[in-house]
Amino acid sequence: MKKRVLSGIRATGTLHLGNYLGAVKGMLELQDNPDYETLYMVADVHTLTTPFDVEKLRANRREVVLDYLAAGLDPEKSVLFFQADVPEHTELAFYLSSVVNIARMQHLPTFKDKVKQYPHHATMALLNYPILMAADILAYKAGFVPVGIDQEPHLEVAREIARKMNEQYGMDFPEPQRFATEGEYVPSLTGEGKMSKSVAGSYINLTDGLDAIRDHLASAPTDSGQGKVVPATGGVANLLTLVELFQGESQRKDYEKMYLGEGIHYQELKESLAQAIYKELQPIQAKRTKLAADQKYVDNVIADGAKRARALARQTVDEVKVKMGLG
Ligand code: ADP
Ligand code: TRP
């Protein structure tokens, strides 16, 4: 039997380089490996866990599908769907919540961070976030989850839930593992933390043209370009990480030598990095423009994905119901 893979990204806007390198690249790699059966969703229900605008959510879930398809996710190889179209996820989440302790959820760093960010939105939906994510994965008994390193605490919860369901109710859930990529942590352009949609100036979108990429890089902080040690954190370190991800390790080493010697000219570094990033994004953007003009095709992909995903998820949820005395 093929190993199952599930992943998703929230519908909070178009994707950025962090989402692409940390999550989508891993999704692509497993999709193209015939040993795996891949299911990729837009985590639109999860979008309700933080403040959102109804019309923006409606538009954004389509944007994410377009990004997926443009980046190379292929409905012939993967099941692509909206989480909200498979109500089995929310149903299963409730059953799973019966083996989860409240305090465990309240102490998760991801929960605490979001409460800090939105102090007036500490909702039950937010507290339930990791349980719904576990349900997304376990509904398909998926063993691999391509996501960035920031999602590891959520996967740990999913493993705990799987173990408890197996011990208490005799289920056979695998303990899902993260599938890591080279870009599992793409740093912010601001020089601090990770590239993230919620931090202005931190990211480059997959839809950004060459000029927009240049502008974003222009505001990334640098230094004099020379010193006794190459910085390990901050603006310069982050630029070098991006160089490594888009231009390779040897290019990074060349810059490091320059830093310790004659000095780096950041304008040149940023221009060649902008070119390298655009070279990777340009074909994705061309494909996206074509797809955006064919709404019917996108609708069909999503409708078909929902049907296929539901059939699989229903089997698991029915099995859970029987094992828990509900059927
Ligand atoms: P954001 O922080 O921008 O809101 P999400 O939380 O929606 O991003 O993340 C969607 C997916 O992209 C997850 O798998 C996450 O791990 C991955 N991801 C997000 N930002 C980065 C990053 N800077 N580096 C690597 N992966 C990332
Ligand atoms: N929590 C993930 C994120 O922030 C999104 C997500 C929801 C997810 N359900 C999932 C990722 C299931 C992998 C598997 O991006």
Side-chain angles (χ1 to χ4, degrees):
M1 217 175 84
K2 287 191 181 202
K3 289 171 225 153
R4 290 243 177 96
V5 175
L6 180 118
S7 190
I9 296 182
R10 296 201 314 148
T12 48
T14 51
L15 303 189
H16 56 70
L17 290 183
N19 304 139
Y20 177 62
L21 298 177
V24 177
K25 279 267 183 129
M27 297 184 194
L28 285 165
E29 192 178 329
L30 293 174
Q31 161 187 275
D32 294 328
N33 183 331
D35 293 340
Y36 296 92
E37 180 181 1
T38 47
L39 297 114
Y40 300 131
M41 60 172 199
V42 178
D44 49 5
V45 180
H46 271 106
T47 312
L48 312 185
T49 59
T50 46
F52 68 100
D53 174 273
V54 171
E55 288 315 318
K56 274 193 197 142
L57 171 57
R58 211 186 303 283
N60 282 339
R61 42 191 225 145
R62 293 192 71 90
E63 295 295 322
V64 177
V65 177
L66 283 179
D67 280 331
Y68 276 174
L69 292 168
L73 293 191
D74 179 353
E76 303 287 321
K77 297 180 186 162
S78 296
V79 180
L80 305 177
F81 64 102
F82 287 141
Q83 185 185 27
D85 284 347
V86 186
E88 281 74 12
H89 292 215
T90 42
E91 183 184 354
L92 181 59
F94 195 89
Y95 304 146
L96 299 183
S97 75
S98 67
V99 298
V100 181
N101 194 284
I102 299 173
R104 173 76 175 99
M105 296 294 97
Q106 286 169 325
H107 290 134
L108 272 183
T110 41
F111 176 71
K112 288 187 186 164
D113 287 349
K114 288 287 185 224
V115 171
K116 233 187 245 164
Q117 202 178 342
Y118 307 108
H120 302 297
H121 278 267
T123 62
M124 281 308 300
L126 184 63
L127 191 64
N128 276 308
Y129 188 118
I131 305 178
L132 179 58
M133 181 161 161
D136 298 333
I137 300 165
L138 299 179
Y140 306 94
K141 301 190 178 177
F144 293 97
V145 184
V147 281
I149 200 162
D150 58 304
Q151 294 298 309
E152 195 58 67
H154 290 152
L155 283 177
E156 185 56 43
V157 170
R159 287 191 283 271
E160 284 169 24
I161 292 177
R163 275 197 294 276
K164 283 194 182 150
M165 291 298 293
N166 295 348
E167 280 162 17
Q168 293 181 27
Y169 300 106
M171 289 297 299
D172 63 345
F173 288 127
E175 291 186 24
Q177 305 298 318
R178 189 169 69 89
F179 181 76
T181 61
E182 224 184 304
E184 65 178 12
Y185 182 90
V186 179
S188 165
L189 296 180
T190 62
E192 233 179 275
K194 69 157 196 154
M195 186 175 282
S196 171
K197 261 170 275 187
S198 50
V199 182
S202 78
Y203 58 86
I204 292 173
N205 277 330
L206 291 191
T207 48
D208 284 338
L210 184 55
D211 282 338
I213 298 172
R214 281 189 181 121
D215 287 349
H216 291 309
L217 289 179
S219 48
T222 52
D223 59 9
S224 68
Q226 227 170 359
K228 288 212 169 78
V229 257
V230 181
T233 57
V236 171
N238 290 1
L239 276 176
L240 291 176
T241 301
L242 288 172
V243 164
E244 181 169 346
L245 288 168
F246 285 92
Q247 300 180 277
E249 202 188 339
S250 76
Q251 181 66 69
R252 180 203 177 106
K253 291 230 162 93
D254 287 349
Y255 282 129
E256 286 179 348
K257 260 187 232 141
M258 278 187 218
Y259 194 91
L260 303 172
E262 75 272 25
I264 298 180
H265 294 288
Y266 289 113
Q267 239 176 352
E268 286 163 27
L269 177 152
K270 286 180 175 181
E271 178 56 26
S272 81
L273 177 58
Q275 299 276 356
I277 293 173
Y278 184 61
K279 198 171 161 213
E280 178 134 3
L281 299 191
Q282 203 277 330
I284 298 177
Q285 294 170 4
K287 197 165 168 197
R288 199 181 199 282
T289 308
K290 266 196 209 148
L291 287 161
D294 195 352
Q295 292 293 339
K296 252 217 177 115
Y297 169 76
V298 178
D299 287 343
N300 284 339
V301 166
I302 289 304
D304 181 57
K307 232 187 279 162
R308 292 163 64 194
R310 273 201 90 170
L312 298 173
R314 193 68 244 164
Q315 285 180 11
T316 308
V317 177
D318 283 342
E319 188 187 344
V320 169
K321 285 182 76 176
V322 170
K323 294 261 164 75
M324 292 183 93
L326 299 169

